[in-house]
Amino acid sequence: MTETPVPIGDYAVVGDLRTAALISPQGSVDWMCLPRFDSPSVFSALLGTADNGRWLVTVVDGEVGERAYLEDTFVLRTRWRAPGGTAESLDWMPVDGSRSDLVRQVRCTSGEVEVVQDLCMRFDYGQIVPWVRRARVDRPDGSAEEVLHAIGGPASLTLHGPLPHPVTGHRRHAARHTLRAGEELTWVMTGQESWRDLLPMIDVAPHLEETVRDWRGWAAPIEVEGPWADQVRRSLLVLRALTHRETGGIVAAATTSLPEELGGSRNWDYRFTWLRDSALTLEAMMAHGFDAGATAWRDWLLRAVAGDPEDLLIMYGLGGERDLAERELPHLPGYAGSRPVRIGNGAVGQYQADVVGEVLIALGQLRDGGRAEDRYSWALQQSMLDLQVRRFDHKDHGIWEMRGDPHFFTHGRVMMWAAFDQGVRAVEEHGLPGDVETWRRLRDRLREEVESQGVGPDGAFRQTYDTTEVDASLLQLPQTGCFDYDDPRMLATVARIEAELTDTDGLVHRYRTKEGVDGLPGDEGSFLICSFWLVEQYAHTGRLDDAVSLMERLVGTAGELGLLAEEYDARSGQLLGNYPQAFSHLGLIRAADAIELNRARAGERPAGRYGTAARCSRSA
């Protein structure tokens, strides 16, 4: 029987810019992949039960009084109240880049508390029960420490600190410790390849100091104002936390197969780098001054897509890997019984017409911000435009990765317009070489096509050329500069979305799943980034009260730590989908920026610095 799951939004996330661990309020590490976000997991209870792997460190009979990140970091502090005393724990991962360590510290702050450790290690998504032994490791000072060492296949874990004992017949380890005021315990779990020599325990105190300094140093330049300044700061930090420090790749989320419907089958692996998601993430970060990360991603892009432009994919592994074949893991019961659990993603082979436009907008913003193109980066963009020319008459699977038949999606055709528009601007405004006549001709042809075929009889834009349905991706059309926010066709589209795609809380669904266009069974929650797009639309068309009201509801869906998943279910009041989700956090940033910018324009706030993506400036 599947255990009652921890609500997705209750999980804390700690990370080291290579991977992340999800920790429940009870102190259980229920998900962690090593050495990268997209590596096999070593703790998999998130998608099943404790027997699928977890690391629990908790205060016996303790109640959580507060869980919060140390300011501008991903160092988690939890304060506990127990019958005999109080305690404080810290969970964090050093970000020095040399190794992967998860540090867990518990200190008794008053009275006396009991601390329990329960460790169940299961490698390769819970499929491998490792060989576990006690070993001795030499320290740099010549002394030795005893560690618990687990190996299985290519992976290994080494536990430093007070070691638990084997639990007979359960293939796990457990221990119980008594702490009095001022006493503390520290554990460090080190992950590495199984063939490497064992590493000694890190010197915890200086690594904690350096980790806090690193996070806060990165966040120090952020300038943001308004009622959601804290949420914007945390969202920018989330986007950094989902970026792999060494490769520059940005994962869409830290997890796989968290469901879009409890008990349903819409469960996907998001631990990869989507070109679209990354491009939108970069726009949000560049709007707040983080151009250096954008340059690193441009370098990642050059490596990932190197080769025949015809082989351009919509997503890649963190290192640029292309083999992301989708398969199911039947041994895992799934979160809340939501099967199947999938790794890899079959959408990797889809053609999605909007992707090139998303990428070229982001790179165009980088160029407009003063970052010069080199001959390789502009040549890449020319190749992508040439690919758009060759695929001009191809139907696609849309931004939502429909697994049904391909169509001409209105959003995709407008994003193709944006791609050619960026090419024209690069030639005309930056003096770069290119086939500007072809790009201008196809851009103008697409505008005429969308106006004639992408608008339904009611005057609203439609999801595809062969339907009268609407789709929340249409809210992105003004962000390209192709149409104004207050274009009558956009206003008609908004009215349709409000009438047909919003739930009782006013949050927006992507499209009506019951129409069957996506080729999948079941339903899903409201999609958070789509709801943030509606906030932007309201703000840019003078509906500031509506924008603020919807924004307040949206930020209220986050858990106490300010993290967002992909979707929200108004019936259960729970976040759904993979977590934390870059798409949702970049949507929050853009929506908050749009409200503050338009409040300033309306004279409701003093003029200040509000991050605004370049794609807004041409039609706002």
Side-chain angles (χ1 to χ4, degrees), residues 31 33 37-40 47 125 255-258 265-274 314-317 321-329 340-349 401 403 578:
W31 182 256
C33 299
F37 293 102
D38 54 354
S39 299
L47 299 178
Y125 303 104
T255 60
T256 180
S257 295
L258 289 181
S265 62
R266 294 168 179 255
N267 317 314
W268 316 108
D269 194 346
Y270 277 14
R271 299 170 300 148
F272 306 118
T273 300
W274 270 257
I314 64 166
M315 71 178 85
Y316 296 85
E321 296 86 356
R322 302 183 180 207
D323 184 4
L324 309 181
E326 182 175 298
R327 62 188 178 92
E328 299 178 3
L329 301 179
V341 171
R342 296 182 175 94
I343 58 173
N345 199 304
V348 67
E401 300 178 353
R403 299 210 172 188
N578 286 305

Side-chain angles (χ1 to χ4, degrees), residues 232-414:
V232 170
R233 292 183 73 87
R234 177 53 53 185
S235 292
L236 287 165
L237 285 160
V238 169
L239 298 184
R240 187 203 186 202
L242 294 174
T243 302
H244 193 273
R245 166 172 277 179
E246 291 150 15
T247 69
I250 305 169
V251 293
T255 60
T256 180
S257 295
L258 289 181
E260 297 173 10
E261 178 185 29
L262 292 176
S265 62
R266 294 168 179 255
N267 317 314
W268 316 108
D269 194 346
Y270 277 14
R271 299 170 300 148
F272 306 118
T273 300
W274 270 257
L275 299 188
R276 173 195 307 109
D277 297 39
S278 297
L280 289 168
T281 295
L282 290 176
E283 289 182 50
M285 295 185 76
M286 285 188 288
H288 288 270
F290 292 102
D291 290 2
T295 303
W297 180 79
R298 188 178 71 181
D299 293 341
W300 172 90
L301 180 66
L302 285 166
R303 296 191 305 270
V305 307
D308 189 341
E310 291 289 347
D311 295 332
L312 181 73
L313 302 178
I314 64 166
M315 71 178 85
Y316 296 85
L318 277 169
E321 296 86 356
R322 302 183 180 207
D323 184 4
L324 309 181
E326 182 175 298
R327 62 188 178 92
E328 299 178 3
L329 301 179
H331 67 280
L332 286 174
Y335 180 89
S338 306
R339 295 176 182 264
V341 171
R342 296 182 175 94
I343 58 173
N345 199 304
V348 67
Q350 288 186 354
Y351 168 53
Q352 297 174 13
D354 70 296
V355 169
V356 171
E358 301 283 10
V359 171
L360 293 192
I361 288 173
L363 294 180
Q365 182 178 344
L366 187 62
R367 184 170 54 244
D368 291 341
R371 292 297 178 105
E373 300 282 2
D374 59 39
R375 63 189 180 117
Y376 299 110
S377 63
W378 177 241
L380 167 66
Q381 293 169 72
Q382 288 180 287
S383 295
M384 296 176 84
L385 285 164
D386 290 343
L387 181 62
Q388 287 286 76
V389 173
R390 292 192 294 276
R391 292 181 175 177
F392 190 87
D393 295 318
H394 291 194
K395 297 179 179 180
D396 77 302
H397 289 90
I399 183 175
W400 309 127
E401 300 178 353
M402 306 294 196
R403 299 210 172 188
D405 296 330
H407 297 269
F408 285 121
F409 286 87
T410 300
H411 167 263
R413 302 302 278 180
V414 172

